[in-house]
Amino acid sequence: MKNKPTFILLSIFIILSIVIAGVKILVSNTNNLYDDSGIIFIDQEIIDRITISNKAQSSQLYKVNNSWRIGKQQVFEPKLALFWNAVNNIQKSELVSVNPKNFNRIGLNENESTLVQFFLESTLQEEFIVGKWEPETKTCFIKKINLDQVFGFTCPYPDIFATNPDMWRNPIISNFPPDELAAIRFSYPSEQFELNLTETGWQLDNQDNINIDSYKIARFANTTQLLLADGFLNDEESKDIDFNQSDALITLIPKSKAPSTITRIRLKQIDENRVAVKSGNIPIIYYISIPKAREILLGKNDFILQE
């Protein structure tokens, strides 16, 4: 019994030591969640919705089964990667101004700034505003809404925090490798023809007595290797477009052992400046300019070598 007070004191000491250690760990972990800008560390594995908005427009990205989407379409992966890299760079940001008089010059004002918000389900996790992008130093400027402290961090490209939804969509209409082409089929309301690659070269409609302009084929193949949209049609613009009555159907057919699959590109002019484009069964209606459309809307005579 003489050792009982000693035992009690020792037990209290051990308990206090554990509590103090626990508090230190908790404080340490909490401090690690924030950088100098006061912005919490944003874990892309946890966030499931992002809203990027200004006075004119808004982009809302949301995650479905680990896939990020914008509207009905999947977010363009390279664009998303640039965004998360920039968000991660916030942890390396540096204080650049505490003077509100300087904020307007770098776009941190009501008319120019962009609000970026991160959500987990319906709960706001973090938000901040972004100013202008500085091209010479490739810097983005951010601040918390209620703090007069501006921080700068590395942004290698402009429009990383894009409020325009179209900038998050995949702009690639076609990316067919030229060396995998076996045939090109053109179908117009008044003309149909096909170019086939044989052991001796390209032939028009399997006729070996017609000299083919190989430069024209190479130029066409280079265009369809990476054919990019100039923009996207919204639901209202695209609802009346009937691609079953298209102005042209271009079919790219791969070689037998090539990894590429058959690509069908349908085109229909919608006004004096734009041509609507649909690629295969992808639920996106693109548009391209008239000059860009002319690069691929070629006739039979365009491929015949002129003597």
Side-chain angles (χ1 to χ4, degrees), residues 208-226:
D208 58 7
N209 60 339
I210 299 176
N211 293 325
I212 301 300
D213 190 337
S214 58
Y215 170 76
K216 287 288 184 65
I217 291 181
R219 185 174 176 179
F220 172 87
N222 285 334
T223 301
T224 54
Q225 180 180 13
L226 188 61

Side-chain angles (χ1 to χ4, degrees), residues 276-293:
V277 184
K278 182 173 176 57
S279 179
N281 296 319
I282 298 174
I284 304 175
I285 308 301
Y286 313 91
Y287 70 80
I288 58 177
S289 66
I290 296 294
K292 184 179 289 187

Side-chain angles (χ1 to χ4, degrees), residues 21-37:
V23 170
K24 287 182 177 179
I25 291 171
L26 178 60
V27 171
S28 176
N29 287 342
T30 303
N31 287 340
N32 288 338
L33 291 175
Y34 295 85
D35 65 1
D36 292 338
S37 67

Side-chain angles (χ1 to χ4, degrees), residues 46-102:
I46 296 176
I47 298 299
D48 60 12
R49 182 161 61 92
I50 304 166
T51 299
I52 307 169
S53 58
N54 59 20
K55 292 190 68 174
Q57 55 191 345
S58 175
S59 292
Q60 185 166 149
L61 317 180
Y62 60 95
K63 190 190 293 184
V64 178
N65 298 326
N66 294 319
S67 175
W68 284 94
R69 306 187 71 81
I70 177 83
K72 298 177 182 178
Q73 293 107 40
Q74 187 170 346
V75 170
F76 190 39
E77 287 294 337
K79 170 69 173 175
L80 187 63
L82 289 174
F83 172 81
W84 283 119
N85 284 339
V87 170
N88 291 335
N89 283 339
I90 293 175
Q91 301 298 310
K92 306 171 187 176
S93 61
E94 297 181 356
L95 182 65
V96 295
S97 179
V98 293
N99 186 354
K101 294 181 179 180
N102 296 326

